[in-house]
Amino acid sequence: MSDLWWEKTVIYQIYPRSFMDTTGSGTGDIAGIISKLDYLKELGIETIWLSPMYPSPTDKPYHLHDCGYDISNYRDINTEYGDLEQFDQLVAEIHQRGLRIVMDLVLNHTSAEHPWFVESRSSRDNPKRDWYIWKDGRGKNGKKPPNNWTAMITGDAWKYDEHTQQFFYHEFLDFQPDLNYRNPEVQEEMLNTIRFWLNRGVDGFRLDIIHALFEDEQCRDEPFAIPLPFTSKYGLIKKTERQLHLPETIDFCKRIRETVDEFGGKFLVGEVHGPAEDQRKYFGDVANGKSDGLNLVFYFNSLNTLLNVKKVKSLIKTAESSFADPLLPTWVFSNHDFPRRIFRLKNDIKKAKLNAALQLSLRGVPCIYYGEEIGMSNPTLDPKTSKDALSHHLRLLPAVSRNLIRHFGLLLNRDEARTPMQWSSTENAGFSPPEGLPWLPVNDNFKRCNVEQQEKNPGSLLHCYKRFLKLRNNSPVLQSGALKIIEHPNFPSSVLAYERYLVDAPAKCLVLLNLSNRAEHFSVPYQNGEILASTLSQSKVMVANKIALEAWEAVIIEVEGIAS
C-alpha cells in the first residue's frame, strides 16, 4: 500500500471568481476562500485546486481576456483576489487544517499584455522575439497564414501583426500567444516560476493544456481530415501530428517532474485531452513501481459517460487497462469548461448521488468541482452578455457548427458552469454581501439548492457526499486497493458490481450500483456482508446476505471471501 499522500487524496476545484466574495465587489477573493476552509474540511476533501489567480488583464472587456487563463505576471496575485501576503496566509490556513493546495499553472501561453509579449512584438530583433512563435506568411504579400494549423475550436491558429509583418501562433484565443518552448530561456524561466510557488509552500500544480507545449519545428501542414464548418477556412478537423502530444512535450513534462521532486512530497496533475493511450504517455516511463512524468492526468472520458452498465463498465475497463498500477486515473465529471454533471443527469438527484458513489469508490483520485456536492446546475445565460471570451467567438458560428459543439459535450457559454457558489437562500445566494452585484448571475434555483438548506437535510446530496467521503477517507481499501469488476449470475443485468481489495487482506469492499429505474432484489454471494454506505439510506442493512436496491441506488458493502 502506497504512503504517497497524493495517491489517496480527494481534489476539490475552486473557481476563485465564483466561490466567495467578502468585499461586495462581486468577485470571489482569497478572504472568501479562507472563510470556507472549515466547510471544506468538514466536507471531507483534502486537496484544494485553485483556478488561476495571477495578474491578468481582467480590467479589459470580457471578450478580450480569459478570466485568468491569460497570465500577465506569473509571480504575483491579481489584486481583485488579494495580494501575495494574503495568499501566504491562505497557504498557512490550508496547511493548519491538514489540507493541501494546488495552483493552476498555464505554461502553454501568456496574455498578449504580458511584458514578454509586448517586447516580443515590438521588433523582429528584440531579445524576447524568440520567446514566442513568429513566422513569415505565405502568398505574394505574406498575408496568408504560414500553414493550415487551427486553434482549438476557434479557427486559424495564426494572427498577423502589422507592426512587424509576421504571424504569431496561438493554440487558443488570439490574445493568448503561445510561448516557444524550443527556446531554453523559456524553459528555465517557467521551471523557476514553479520553484517560486513551491518555495511559498504550495503542494503541487494542475497544468493547463499541457499537451500543447511543443509544435512541429518545421511548421508543416497538418494532414487534412473530415471537413467541418467550425474548424477553419481550411475545413479540417485538426489531427495531432504537428501541434499536440509531441515527444518533446513528454520530455519537458519529465523536467517539470524533476523540478517538483526537488521539493519532496509535491505532485503534478495534467490537463491532457485525447484518447487514453495518449494520456498515458504523460506519466512517462515506469520502472521499479514509479513513473518519471506527471504524477496524475485527468481522465476526461468520464465527462460524457452515460449512466448505464455497458458505458460505465467500458469506462472503468479502459481506465484500468490504460492506467494500470502503479499509475492512477484521476476521475473528473465536471469542471469550469464543461457542463456540470447534473446537467447530463437531467437534474436527477438520485443519479447525482449514485455518480458521487461511483467517483468516490473507483480506484484513483477523485476531483470534485465546486458546487457539485449540492447539485449546482447550468442556468441558461444569454451569450450576448457572456463574460466568456470563447463564447463571443462561438456565437458567430453557423447553427450547424454550434450544434456540433454541443454534440461533442462542450459549452457554447462557459459562464453557465461558473456561476457563483450557492451558500444560502439569502440575497446573492450568500456568495456576495446583499449590496454586491455578483460578476455572473446567481442561478435562479439558489433558494432551494444551497449549502445551508442541504446541511439541515440528512437525505440531501451534500450529506451523501459527506457519507461517502468519510468512508473513503477511513478506508485503506477504497484509498489504495485494487479494483476488479465482478460478473456473477446472482447480479441483475442492471447492476454493476466491482470489488476494491488489498492483496492478502481478508476484508474487501463490494460496490453495487443499480443503474436502472427499477428496484432490484438479490443475494450477495459472499461469506459475510455489512453495508457501509448507501446513497439513499443511512441505516440500510442486509438479512442473510440478501439486498434490495432501489432505483439508482449505490451501496458499498464490506465482504469477506470470494464470490461463490
Side-chain angles (χ1 to χ4, degrees):
M1 187 170 65
S2 173
D3 59 355
L4 297 172
W5 68 269
W6 53 266
E7 292 187 347
K8 298 176 283 188
T9 199
V10 178
I11 302 171
Y12 185 94
Q13 181 191 357
I14 289 177
Y15 195 74
R17 295 177 70 83
S18 297
F19 198 61
M20 184 66 192
D21 165 27
T22 61
T23 65
S25 68
T27 300
D29 48 51
I30 290 175
I33 297 171
I34 292 173
S35 73
K36 297 300 182 181
L37 290 179
D38 289 337
Y39 163 78
L40 297 175
K41 174 76 172 178
E42 183 185 352
L43 176 62
I45 62 93
E46 179 189 28
T47 299
I48 298 168
W49 153 30
L50 300 174
S51 289
M53 302 177 71
Y54 314 96
S56 172
T58 50
D59 57 340
K60 300 186 76 169
Y62 279 101
H63 68 283
L64 295 177
H65 71 83
D66 195 20
C67 291
Y69 283 92
D70 50 337
I71 298 171
S72 57
N73 183 346
Y74 281 91
R75 302 191 189 184
D76 205 349
I77 295 294
N78 195 321
T79 54
E80 66 182 359
Y81 300 120
D83 54 30
L84 277 174
E85 184 177 351
Q86 287 176 297
F87 179 81
D88 291 340
Q89 181 189 357
L90 172 63
V91 173
E93 295 275 0
I94 285 173
H95 288 162
Q96 184 180 345
R97 290 166 173 81
L99 305 177
R100 313 275 184 161
I101 178 172
V102 168
M103 293 191 75
D104 208 326
L105 190 57
V106 186
L107 295 176
N108 181 74
H109 53 264
T110 72
S111 165
E113 304 291 320
H114 197 295
W116 301 339
F117 189 70
V118 172
E119 285 190 50
S120 183
R121 77 189 312 175
S122 65
S123 69
R124 290 195 181 197
D125 58 359
N126 186 276
K128 287 287 192 297
R129 185 68 170 183
D130 195 41
W131 279 47
Y132 295 85
I133 301 164
W134 293 92
K135 297 292 178 184
D136 289 330
R138 296 189 289 191
K140 66 178 182 179
N141 60 2
K143 293 289 185 75
K144 292 183 178 180
N147 57 30
N148 69 355
W149 291 359
T150 56
M152 289 192 178
I153 298 178
T154 58
D156 293 338
W158 298 96
K159 184 171 183 178
Y160 188 70
D161 177 63
E162 290 285 353
H163 178 62
T164 58
Q165 298 185 332
Q166 279 189 317
F167 285 84
F168 67 85
Y169 174 68
H170 58 91
E171 179 61 66
F172 301 95
L173 297 168
D174 62 11
F175 52 77
Q176 295 170 300
D178 276 41
L179 286 162
N180 177 17
Y181 276 86
R182 297 191 184 280
N183 184 333
E185 292 180 359
V186 171
Q187 293 191 22
E188 289 305 316
E189 175 65 29
M190 302 316 283
L191 293 175
N192 285 332
T193 292
I194 288 171
R195 294 184 180 99
F196 173 86
W197 292 106
L198 290 172
N199 279 321
R200 300 195 90 91
V202 305
D203 298 293
F205 298 92
R206 177 263 188 187
L207 301 175
D208 182 71
I209 304 291
I210 195 66
H211 58 298
L213 286 192
F214 281 80
E215 304 77 28
D216 180 60
E217 190 168 15
Q218 300 174 48
C219 284
R220 292 170 290 179
D221 281 355
E222 288 278 11
F224 282 80
I226 303 170
L228 282 178
F230 70 77
T231 51
S232 79
K233 62 189 177 188
Y234 299 106
L236 57 86
I237 292 180
K238 179 182 58 189
K239 290 187 176 181
T240 61
E241 295 178 24
R242 309 291 191 227
Q243 293 171 266
L244 303 176
H245 304 298
L246 269 67
E248 298 95 319
T249 298
I250 309 297
D251 291 340
F252 190 67
C253 284
K254 294 180 181 181
R255 287 199 66 193
I256 299 173
R257 172 68 179 274
E258 290 173 1
T259 303
V260 169
D261 283 351
E262 294 171 10
F263 291 78
K266 313 294 183 180
F267 87 105
L268 300 163
V269 56
E271 180 190 20
V272 178
H273 292 280
E277 56 266 28
D278 282 335
Q279 294 177 327
R280 164 64 182 80
K281 298 173 186 175
Y282 290 80
F283 288 90
D285 301 314
V286 177
N288 301 317
K290 296 181 180 179
S291 65
D292 63 355
L294 305 184
N295 304 95
L296 299 170
V297 172
F298 289 121
Y299 181 46
F300 288 120
N301 293 31
S302 51
L303 285 167
N304 295 321
T305 297
L306 301 176
L307 287 183
N308 64 57
V309 171
K310 181 180 178 181
K311 297 290 187 183
V312 177
K313 187 182 294 185
S314 174
L315 177 75
I316 296 171
K317 285 183 175 180
T318 301
E320 286 296 303
S321 61
S322 301
F323 312 115
D325 185 70
L327 308 182
L328 291 170
T330 302
W331 294 98
V332 53
F333 288 92
S334 300
N335 68 23
H336 59 290
D337 288 331
F338 291 88
R340 287 187 173 274
R341 181 61 172 171
I342 201 165
F343 171 79
R344 301 201 185 283
L345 303 179
K346 301 188 184 302
N347 294 311
D348 189 319
I349 293 297
K350 282 188 177 182
K351 291 181 182 179
K353 290 179 177 180
L354 182 144
N355 203 94
L358 172 68
Q359 184 181 33
L360 296 173
S361 63
L362 290 169
R363 186 183 71 90
V365 176
C367 182
I368 300 167
Y369 187 44
Y370 83 96
E372 203 167 355
E373 73 274 21
I374 59 170
M376 280 181 60
S377 57
N378 300 329
T380 300
L381 300 178
D382 185 352
K384 294 180 181 178
T385 58
S386 173
K387 308 297 196 298
D388 173 20
L390 180 59
S391 73
H392 290 278
H393 291 260
L394 298 181
R395 72 185 182 87
L396 300 177
L397 296 174
V400 63
S401 303
R402 296 197 300 273
N403 290 335
L404 281 167
I405 291 170
R406 290 191 187 97
H407 174 76
F408 287 116
L410 302 173
L411 284 168
L412 287 168
N413 184 0
R414 294 178 298 176
D415 287 356
E416 295 174 357
R418 302 174 178 184
T419 54
M421 179 67 177
Q422 294 163 207
W423 294 106
S424 70
S425 56
T426 60
E427 189 73 19
N428 295 329
F431 162 73
S432 281
E435 68 276 9
L437 179 64
W439 78 287
L440 286 178
V442 174
N443 194 317
D444 290 342
N445 70 358
F446 77 92
K447 290 194 174 181
R448 63 180 183 275
C449 175
N450 62 69
V451 171
E452 185 179 69
Q453 289 214 347
Q454 293 197 24
E455 289 276 18
K456 299 173 184 176
N457 177 11
S460 68
L461 178 59
L462 177 59
H463 277 283
C464 179
Y465 266 93
K466 286 185 177 183
R467 203 156 54 243
F468 279 83
L469 279 165
K470 182 177 180 181
L471 176 58
R472 186 184 190 280
N473 292 339
N474 290 304
S475 171
V477 173
L478 292 176
Q479 287 181 334
S480 304
L483 184 148
K484 179 183 178 183
I485 292 177
I486 303 298
E487 309 278 3
H488 195 278
N490 282 20
F491 297 151
S493 60
S494 64
V495 172
L496 176 63
Y498 51 89
E499 288 180 352
R500 298 295 311 283
Y501 63 93
L502 294 170
V503 178
D504 299 327
K508 60 188 73 173
C509 288
L510 173 67
V511 182
L512 299 173
L513 301 104
N514 183 10
L515 297 164
S516 77
N517 286 315
R518 62 181 183 272
E520 298 287 3
H521 302 261
F522 55 97
S523 61
V524 177
Y526 291 83
Q527 295 170 7
N528 297 295
E530 177 187 355
I531 296 177
L532 302 178
S534 161
T535 54
L536 302 181
S537 171
Q538 296 187 67
S539 57
K540 197 176 189 75
V541 296
M542 294 174 61
V543 179
N545 279 17
K546 295 186 183 297
I547 188 167
L549 290 183
E550 295 183 36
W552 301 108
E553 182 178 13
V555 296
I556 298 180
I557 307 171
E558 185 177 59
V559 296
E560 292 185 9
I562 301 172
S564 57

